[in-house]
Amino acid sequence: MLLCLSPTWLTKVPALGQPGEAVLLVSKAVSFHPGGLTFLDDFVPPRRATYFLAGLGLGPGRGREAAELARDLTCPTGASAELARLLEDRLLTRRLLAQHGGVAVPATLAFTYKPPALLRGGEAGPGLRLVELSGKEDQQTLVKEEVGAFLHSGALADALQVAVKLSGWRWRGRQALRVYPRVELSTVVDTVLALLEKLEEEESVLVEAVCPPARLPFPGSPPPGPELAVRICAVVCRTQGDRPLLSKVVCSVGREDRPLRHQSSLPQTLEAALARCGLGETGHVAVVRRRVKAAAEAALAAVLALEAGLSAEQRGGRRARTDFLGVDFALTVEGRVLTPVALELNSGLCLEACGALEGLWAAQRPRSAAEDAAAAPLVETMLRRSAHCLVEGKQLLLIGAGGVSKKFVWEAARDYGLKLHLVESDPNHFASQLVQTFIHFDVTEHRRDEENARLLAELVRARGLQLDGCFSYWDDCLVLTALLCQELGLPCSPPAAMRLAKQKSCTQLHLLRCHGPPWPAPSLHAVPCCPLESEADVEKAVHQVPLPGVMKLEFGAGAVGVRLVEDAPQCHEHFSQIARDLQGEADHPGIGLGWGNAMLLMEFIEGTEHDVDLVLFGGRLLAAFVSDNGPTRLPGFTETAACMPTGLAPEQEAQLVQAAFRCCLGCGLLDGVFNVELKLTGAGPKLIEINPRMGGFYLRDWILELYGVDLLLAAAMVACGLRPALPTHPRARGHLVGVMCLVSQHLQVLSSTASRETLQALHDQGLLRLNWLEEVLVPGEYEEPYCSVACAGSSPAEARLRLLGLCQGLGIDGPHYPVAHFLSHFK
């Protein structure tokens, strides 16, 4: 992130192949480094900007130059002069908030001269009256009638004063506030007529109610001194999926008879400001904060909806968006209810006020200044949009398309502008029509992966594909992908590391030998096991591994073939059954049988089960996401329920993250997105297995929903040799609790009360979060979950109760599938 203090440090260069757009180049900037170090850097050659945010203005000076620089760029921009001009038109934004946001605004009478197209026609909105003027002169009669009717109307409620002001970009911060008693009709009329003479096209004169300050009735006589009023300033940011998120609230307090302005009052916390006005009770503060949050987020939602209907020219460029918004509120009482009333929107003043408050407290905080920084969600949005810019147009080879659970890949690739080339065994796969190049190639015989990698490399060269990266999220294709990357000279973890992680017994036995340094060593997390290729191996293993134990396929996926075994006869019986039922890929496609059906026996570990999804780049941990799993259905270990974020204590969460990270490094996995399954025991985390690819089932969707981080995008960036910029300590924006539906347990309800159409409709209404994992309702002995159904909440308890009620109503919960028991781990 670079700070440019002069427009001369930046240059716009016409973009090749994109008429009318320009690339922004940085030749000089202030750079920032850990420890508070800053440098003034010169860049030769200049660096290409991947995101731009400027201080804007239409008047002379640097604001205008910055506005010109921001216009029609190829990189994302977080603001533009065109959008700021709309935001700071009080009349336009009040109408927008009142009509579409449901946000309280002051009762307003507007005289507008040749209004902009966005203000023409339609209803003005509650408490707003628009009077279109054909001219600026000889309007005395009309103005007197309209002002008289407004001052006597019920719209003003308890307001005793009105303010008269000009509305339009030109008047931003350049006029004195004129406040008059409501009873002085002639004075208000004269002021309106005087201001009408100054109007230009698309500008307005506003007469608005001055909201009386919120106060509580005091027993006895009122407190001495003037009444105090509070002005609330909220910063709200656009996050993943164009969802508004309140970032911070800061306040100022002053005399009621002296209107408060930015930069002329001391910033305070909401708690301190309300306490000064006699509203310091915890309940009052919570109510006000909740209402400010709802109103501020509704304001940004209304602005984003408006922007979505604007052309690129109206926005100031194809990539111009409003990434953050300041909303100023007055706090008043409407109908005996504390109500924040939106006065105006701004593009920087509220963020500046929050920064000033953070500066006051910075020296006294024991925790990181960034922990509660108002700009934190904005920075996340900057980095996310920058990442989108970096990957746009990248050419990626994808090995293995996957099934219905991976349908999101194709939509995401389109949204990110990725150019995908697919290698897939099924010539009729639906994804063959969704990619730039489709290469039909049998990748199911994994004993020939090295030969296949050479053949695929020749095919890629023969087709002239200029690839930026190659990756896979499909278990069967991970080793082949690593070998192919090696052939093509593309970034990836070494093939030996992928082989080690793919074969479960090799993973555990290798890590058992990793005693460090560094310490704690991976051996602390590994679990004793024995590989099984024959009945003789089984007989040997039952004397080496303590029973009960777990038998599973060496190269398996989806918990297919996993079983709890209590004694030697059960071990022999299960080994024989798998050898008979699951001999090759055709018996159960997609679970690794192309590697063979060898098994392993490992010690059964007591404890709670957890998933850790990691992003690694160059052997460094960039991000980690921990989720909790409910009790599995023994003896088969099918997943039942999950919760995110984890409910563990921070120390236990950190233990899991470090265990997963060290196990990956111990296997040589240095670059990529990995899913590590662990159990947390009394002695610490123990490894179940490493999946050297992006987490499956619902994990990518949940992490994107809760943290705004897309593991698919991160995997694509790492595959291209680009370091994803991710929050080191991501904060979840809610909680998700989900349960799996199984055909063997839910065939009847999945065909009736919880049909595909019913579940999809509930998902579309936002009542549940649905992830399809299989396409057809076909029961079988070796099954995988059919779908995941989840509910969101502001707390784990709220999400859990919603989910339990939903499952009871749909019939998913029952005596043979006790959802309450599966969710009991999350209390």
Side-chain angles (χ1 to χ4, degrees):
M1 189 168 290
L2 303 174
L3 174 64
C4 293
L5 300 175
S6 168
T8 60
W9 297 2
L10 295 149
T11 309
K12 287 174 77 172
V13 177
L16 294 176
Q18 294 173 277
E21 295 188 345
V23 174
L24 187 66
L25 301 177
V26 185
S27 58
K28 190 173 187 176
V30 179
S31 61
F32 301 85
H33 303 269
L37 297 177
T38 58
F39 295 92
L40 183 59
D41 294 329
D42 290 287
F43 300 111
V44 181
R47 295 186 65 177
R48 173 177 167 242
T50 57
Y51 180 92
F52 186 54
L53 183 65
L56 302 169
L58 289 185
R62 289 184 176 175
R64 184 167 185 174
E65 292 173 298
E68 289 299 322
L69 284 169
R71 186 171 288 112
D72 294 321
L73 294 177
T74 56
C75 72
T77 57
S80 70
E82 288 77 3
L83 292 176
R85 184 168 189 161
L86 295 177
L87 290 181
E88 304 210 12
D89 183 329
R90 289 193 183 198
L91 179 56
L92 174 62
T93 54
R94 282 187 186 174
R95 178 173 172 174
L96 180 69
L97 298 187
Q99 278 189 336
H100 304 291
V103 179
V105 298
T108 304
L109 170 65
F111 297 95
T112 178
Y113 178 58
K114 294 186 179 179
L118 290 171
L119 276 173
R120 293 180 202 144
E123 294 294 325
L128 301 181
R129 174 159 175 75
L130 273 62
V131 180
E132 291 190 27
L133 300 177
S134 56
K136 296 184 289 183
E137 300 174 353
D138 300 325
Q139 300 290 343
Q140 293 89 338
T141 303
L142 175 63
V143 168
K144 186 173 182 179
E145 289 177 358
E146 290 288 349
V147 171
F150 179 69
L151 294 181
H152 290 91
S153 71
L156 269 66
D158 297 331
L160 300 177
Q161 296 177 305
V162 293
V164 185
K165 61 186 69 172
L166 289 157
S167 173
W169 174 278
R170 198 163 57 100
W171 302 104
R172 183 185 60 159
R174 296 181 185 174
Q175 58 176 319
L177 185 64
R178 303 166 181 86
V179 178
Y180 304 104
R182 177 178 174 178
V183 296
E184 295 185 4
L185 172 62
S186 59
T187 307
V188 175
V189 170
D190 290 344
T191 304
V192 170
L193 291 172
L195 292 179
L196 283 179
E197 298 177 5
K198 301 180 180 182
L199 284 188
E200 293 184 359
E201 290 185 11
E202 301 189 353
E203 294 180 343
S204 307
V205 176
L206 306 184
V207 182
E208 66 179 47
V210 175
C211 299
R215 61 176 67 90
L216 290 178
F218 288 90
S221 59
E227 291 284 354
L228 294 178
V230 60
R231 181 159 172 151
I232 300 174
C233 173
V235 173
V236 58
C237 299
R238 184 168 71 93
T239 63
Q240 172 69 33
D242 288 346
R243 285 178 298 183
L245 176 70
L246 178 71
S247 173
K248 198 157 200 171
V249 174
V250 66
C251 300
S252 55
V253 177
R255 291 171 53 146
E256 178 188 5
D257 56 348
R258 296 177 185 174
L260 294 163
R261 291 180 177 272
H262 282 286
Q263 301 174 330
S264 62
S265 55
L266 184 69
Q268 305 178 39
T269 63
L270 180 64
E271 290 80 0
L274 293 182
R276 290 179 182 276
C277 299
L279 300 167
E281 288 186 15
T282 304
H284 292 143
V285 175
V287 166
V288 172
R289 187 178 295 279
R290 186 170 63 250
R291 290 176 182 158
V292 167
K293 174 179 171 65
E297 292 178 353
L300 181 54
V303 168
L304 296 180
L306 172 68
E307 287 181 11
L310 300 179
S311 66
E313 182 180 2
Q314 289 173 310
R315 291 199 309 270
R318 178 174 58 92
R319 309 294 290 271
R321 298 288 188 276
T322 296
D323 281 343
F324 75 102
L325 189 66
V327 189
D328 280 321
F329 295 98
L331 185 63
T332 188
V333 175
E334 290 187 357
R336 303 181 62 84
V337 174
L338 285 169
T339 304
V341 177
L343 301 177
E344 62 180 359
L345 309 181
N346 60 74
S347 56
L349 291 173
C350 287
L351 187 62
E352 181 183 82
C354 290
L357 180 64
E358 290 165 13
L360 290 173
W361 286 98
Q364 302 171 30
R365 296 185 186 198
R367 58 186 184 275
S368 164
E371 186 174 324
D372 298 314
L378 172 59
V379 171
E380 288 183 19
T381 296
M382 292 177 178
L383 296 175
R384 182 167 52 251
R385 295 189 69 195
S386 171
H388 296 182
C389 181
L390 283 167
V391 301
E392 187 174 22
K394 293 293 185 188
Q395 307 280 338
L396 275 163
L397 185 65
L398 180 60
I399 313 299
V404 65
S405 65
K406 297 297 185 288
K407 278 190 173 180
F408 65 83
V409 170
W410 319 109
E411 183 179 335
R414 182 197 64 215
D415 292 343
Y416 294 141
L418 293 170
K419 308 297 184 185
L420 292 186
H421 308 273
L422 175 63
V423 176
E424 167 59 38
S425 303
D426 179 4
N428 300 312
H429 197 287
F430 70 87
S432 63
Q433 305 300 313
L434 304 175
V435 292
Q436 304 293 310
T437 307
F438 180 72
I439 301 174
H440 174 226
F441 191 98
D442 184 6
V443 296
T444 59
E445 184 47 70
H446 302 297
R447 297 177 184 89
R448 300 176 57 188
D449 273 349
E450 292 191 5
E451 178 187 348
N452 287 339
R454 289 192 292 271
L455 292 173
L456 279 171
E458 291 173 8
L459 279 173
V460 166
R461 297 186 186 106
R463 293 191 180 218
L465 301 182
Q466 301 297 312
L467 299 176
D468 296 294
C470 172
F471 78 117
S472 179
Y473 46 73
W474 200 241
D475 277 294
D476 280 10
C477 302
L478 299 173
V479 175
L480 174 61
T481 300
L483 290 164
L484 182 55
C485 286
Q486 191 176 65
E487 287 283 337
L488 297 173
L490 295 171
C492 188
S493 288
M498 283 292 191
R499 282 198 184 97
L500 196 56
K502 182 61 187 163
Q503 189 167 356
K504 296 174 174 58
S505 66
C506 289
T507 306
Q508 300 284 6
L509 295 174
H510 171 79
L511 293 176
L512 281 169
R513 296 191 292 269
C514 294
H515 297 293
W519 190 87
S523 58
L524 289 174
H525 310 299
V527 178
C529 66
C530 284
L532 309 174
E533 294 189 7
S534 65
E535 290 283 358
D537 292 335
V538 176
E539 187 61 35
K540 179 181 175 183
V542 296
H543 294 96
Q544 294 182 356
V545 175
L547 297 177
V550 179
M551 288 185 72
K552 58 171 73 174
L553 288 164
E554 275 279 23
F555 303 96
V560 175
V562 183
R563 190 170 187 85
L564 179 70
V565 285
E566 303 278 357
D567 50 34
Q570 285 188 11
C571 292
H572 285 284
E573 180 185 352
H574 189 57
F575 183 84
S576 299
Q577 184 179 1
I578 293 296
R580 181 180 64 252
D581 295 348
L582 301 177
Q583 297 182 12
E585 183 71 14
D587 294 323
H588 202 305
I591 63 161
L593 292 174
W595 297 88
N597 64 351
M599 303 191 74
L600 74 149
L601 174 66
M602 63 185 295
E603 184 179 340
F604 175 69
I605 303 297
E606 292 280 1
T608 55
E609 191 171 327
H610 307 270
D611 278 62
V612 182
D613 289 273
L614 307 169
V615 182
L616 271 60
F617 188 80
R620 297 187 65 181
L621 177 63
L622 301 187
F625 307 92
V626 180
S627 54
D628 304 335
N629 291 336
T632 51
R633 295 186 74 242
L634 297 177
F637 290 95
T638 307
E639 183 175 329
T640 58
C643 175
M644 184 181 278
T646 177
L648 295 173
E651 180 179 347
Q652 294 173 312
E653 181 181 11
Q655 287 178 358
L656 286 170
V657 170
Q658 284 302 310
F661 178 43
R662 290 169 189 272
C663 287
C664 286
L665 292 186
C667 290
L669 298 172
L670 306 177
D671 295 279
V673 177
F674 308 118
N675 170 259
V676 183
E677 300 174 27
L678 302 119
K679 275 197 170 181
L680 186 61
T681 72
K686 295 293 182 181
L687 177 67
I688 300 174
E689 62 189 43
I690 298 174
N691 300 303
R693 42 80 181 156
M694 176 177 69
F697 290 161
Y698 47 80
L699 285 167
R700 179 260 182 182
D701 178 54
W702 283 22
I703 290 168
L704 182 60
E705 171 71 14
L706 293 174
Y707 299 97
V709 174
D710 190 348
L711 294 185
L712 177 66
L713 178 62
M717 292 186 73
V718 173
C720 294
L722 299 170
R723 181 185 186 274
L726 302 174
T728 310
H729 302 289
R731 291 181 293 178
R733 291 164 189 156
H735 297 263
L736 281 169
V737 176
V739 66
M740 293 295 197
C741 293
L742 307 176
V743 175
S744 63
Q745 302 298 313
H746 301 115
L747 181 58
Q748 185 175 351
V749 297
L750 289 171
S751 305
S752 55
T753 54
S755 68
R756 198 176 187 91
E757 294 75 20
T758 300
L759 293 177
Q760 190 63 55
L762 292 170
H763 172 86
D764 294 340
Q765 294 170 39
L767 298 176
L768 60 80
R769 192 154 198 91
L770 178 66
N771 294 97
W772 295 115
L773 307 178
E774 294 292 334
E775 202 146 22
V776 292
L777 285 167
V778 179
E781 183 170 357
Y782 302 102
E783 70 175 343
E784 297 178 78
Y786 176 71
C787 67
S788 165
V789 173
C791 285
S794 57
S795 68
E798 180 183 343
R800 189 175 66 247
L801 289 173
R802 282 182 179 172
L803 179 63
L804 183 57
L806 190 83
C807 290
Q808 289 171 343
L810 292 173
I812 295 170
D813 177 50
H816 301 292
Y817 202 79
V819 172
H821 169 64
F822 299 146
L823 303 183
S824 63
H825 275 43
F826 309 140
K827 288 187 179 179

